[in-house]
Amino acid sequence: IMLAASIAAALAALSVARPAVIGSEASRQALAHIHHTSSPHRRAALHAGLSLLSASLCFPPLAARAATITGDVGRKCTTASTPSATTVTCQGYGLAGGRVRSCAADEACLSTSAISNPSKFAPPWSPISAQEAADAARAWRSVAAAVAEEPGLRIVEQDDGGRYLRATGPSAVPTDGTDDVEFVLRDDGGVRLLYRSATRQSVFLYPLQQPVSNQQSHIDRLASIRRRLGWEEAGLPVDGPDLGRAMGDRYSVPTVTRWFGLELGGMRVPDEED
């Protein structure tokens, strides 16, 4: 009884000071309080009890929660928890090697660089107009104008020399979150637009281990920008050896042919019988 009362008192003291956060940081503060107010034997018992209590409340360690969403250690992520949810906020925008970044596994995101994650990959865009296809500067002006006219988006970075821009807008989930939408134009081997759209916040509701879905909002916004721009998605050969070569040349992605020594063939339609 005294063990349970001591643990409850420690957590209650912390919940009064910070009522919305009883996570890993709170647990550490509670353990520090126990350390200074208990005998050695009671400290050991209270440590064990508090650990079990935290686990039963579905509060995994801070580092474990952040690691599932960051994708790589270089991203800037913070985690905030309440008794019902954990929100991981990451700033993953910016270019890497002249390209937009890929998407983390648990991130609401679409990117032309997410070649290893089919559910988050989106193909580059290319201009239909012969004038824009032949003039990268003209094409870039069209891109900037189309993004500026998208409702809810505000351009916060624009480098016309490097033909890169980033806009921000409200996210669908959470409603008070932020989406980063990035575009970079490349004209090496033909004008093509690379892009990435991602929500900074990922919301995990207990006891679920996957974030609340928010993918469709990115699909819809990008489709709206592309319609206004009047460009098309870059196509690929649909079958045969040209598909493997095109995937390797355009996106540097190994194909099924290279992985398994097999070549995918399309459905063969039998010849019509007389």
Side-chain angles (χ1 to χ4, degrees):
I1 294 174
M2 292 182 63
L3 172 62
S6 299
I7 295 173
L11 288 176
L14 288 171
S15 64
V16 170
R18 300 182 66 182
V21 180
I22 310 179
S24 298
E25 181 182 353
S27 296
R28 287 194 295 271
Q29 294 180 17
L31 290 174
H33 171 76
I34 291 169
H35 180 78
H36 291 295
T37 59
S38 307
S39 67
H41 293 294
R42 289 191 63 209
R43 282 202 298 268
L46 289 170
H47 273 251
L50 184 57
S51 297
L52 289 173
L53 180 59
S54 295
S56 68
L57 291 174
C58 300
F59 288 119
L62 178 65
R65 292 199 303 269
T68 63
I69 189 70
T70 57
D72 65 75
V73 295
R75 298 180 67 208
K76 301 176 181 177
C77 296
T78 58
T79 303
S81 295
T82 69
S84 60
T86 290
T87 300
V88 181
T89 302
C90 296
Q91 297 182 20
Y93 53 81
L95 300 181
R99 294 176 177 269
V100 293
R101 297 179 185 273
S102 185
C103 300
D106 298 336
E107 185 178 30
C109 172
L110 282 177
S111 173
T112 53
S113 295
I115 55 178
S116 62
N117 192 337
S119 66
K120 299 180 187 298
F121 172 77
W125 302 344
S126 57
I128 298 176
S129 164
Q131 292 85 354
E132 290 177 338
D135 186 347
R138 179 173 182 168
W140 176 244
R141 289 194 296 271
S142 298
V143 171
V147 175
E149 293 173 6
E150 178 65 19
L153 283 187
R154 180 174 66 92
I155 296 176
V156 294
E157 288 185 56
Q158 183 169 340
D159 177 5
D160 292 330
R163 295 177 185 143
Y164 166 82
L165 68 79
R166 178 173 65 91
T168 60
S171 66
V173 178
T175 54
D176 59 348
T178 301
D179 287 348
D180 291 293
V181 187
E182 302 172 272
F183 295 92
V184 59
L185 190 73
R186 291 288 175 261
D187 63 350
D188 47 342
V191 173
R192 67 191 190 285
L193 188 65
L194 310 180
Y195 54 90
R196 181 180 188 270
S197 179
T199 301
R200 295 183 190 180
Q201 296 81 10
S202 294
V203 180
F204 297 78
L205 299 178
Y206 298 126
L208 301 179
Q209 298 300 311
Q210 293 296 321
V212 179
S213 177
N214 183 22
Q215 199 77 347
Q216 190 61 43
S217 63
H218 297 283
I219 296 173
D220 294 343
R221 179 186 285 142
L222 288 169
S224 173
I225 295 172
R226 187 170 68 84
R227 284 194 299 268
R228 183 178 300 105
L229 186 57
W231 288 18
E232 64 181 356
E233 292 183 337
L236 289 169
V238 296
D239 196 12
D242 289 340
L243 174 60
R245 285 194 293 270
M247 287 296 287
D249 293 343
R250 297 188 190 190
Y251 309 118
S252 300
V253 58
T255 64
V256 176
T257 299
R258 296 177 188 173
W259 281 332
F260 301 110
L262 301 172
E263 180 179 327
L264 291 180
M267 180 181 293
R268 298 292 188 260
V269 180
D271 296 334
E272 293 184 0
E273 296 181 357
D274 294 334

